[in-house]
Amino acid sequence: MTPRTIQLLLAFVFLGLGGWALIFPNTVLRLSIRPEFYAENAVMTVIMGCFGSQAVLCGTVMALSRFTPTTFLVFGFVGSVPFFAFNFYFVFITEMFTRWMLLDFAGNIAILALCLLGYRGLKASGAATT
């Protein structure tokens, strides 16, 4: 798998999950938030839509940019590790989110794995690090 293919797969993770949150925010909210915390209102819908639009923006930038080994490495860790803690806390500790949020966790695992593959692939090819 080429680093470019890996980069496009990363973009797909963001465009797919972000697009879902942008286009169908109430569906994402109903599936991911436990009933005792869920309140269907315009503010929650707007916030979820904003979250989705940020992910779509990120996916678009990823698809159109040229990644270096450093880009893959930094994005892999910064773009996934903090979210592992977020998912763990809100799914298992506070139990605010349903198990559907494990889709986000799976997306974060994919981000980290793909970024490490991209980093390794570009390093092996001797690509510039900056």
Side-chain angles (χ1 to χ4, degrees):
M1 189 171 349
T2 68
R4 180 69 184 148
T5 301
I6 292 168
Q7 187 176 330
L8 291 173
L9 288 172
L10 283 167
F12 179 75
V13 172
F14 281 84
L15 292 168
L17 292 175
W20 183 24
L22 175 62
I23 296 168
F24 302 108
N26 286 322
T27 302
V28 173
L29 288 165
R30 278 192 298 276
L31 288 173
S32 63
I33 297 178
R34 295 171 78 77
E36 60 269 26
F37 295 101
Y38 179 76
E40 188 169 342
N41 61 50
V43 172
M44 286 184 73
T45 302
V46 168
I47 289 171
M48 183 55 70
C50 288
F51 175 78
S53 67
Q54 289 292 327
V56 168
L57 174 62
C58 186
T60 302
V61 170
M62 290 176 105
L64 300 175
S65 298
R66 179 168 293 152
F67 278 26
T68 66
T70 303
T71 308
F72 274 116
L73 191 62
V74 170
F75 194 85
F77 284 100
V78 174
S80 64
V81 174
F83 296 97
F84 291 142
F86 174 85
N87 286 324
F88 180 81
Y89 182 78
F90 286 104
V91 171
F92 298 110
I93 305 298
T94 67
E95 297 181 349
M96 178 182 247
F97 293 144
T98 68
R99 300 287 191 235
W100 278 99
M101 274 302 284
L102 294 178
L103 283 174
D104 187 58
F105 181 75
N108 292 321
I109 289 173
I111 290 165
L112 181 58
L114 288 168
C115 282
L116 291 175
L117 281 172
Y119 171 79
R120 200 169 71 185
L122 283 178
K123 274 300 219 187
S125 72
T129 58
T130 57

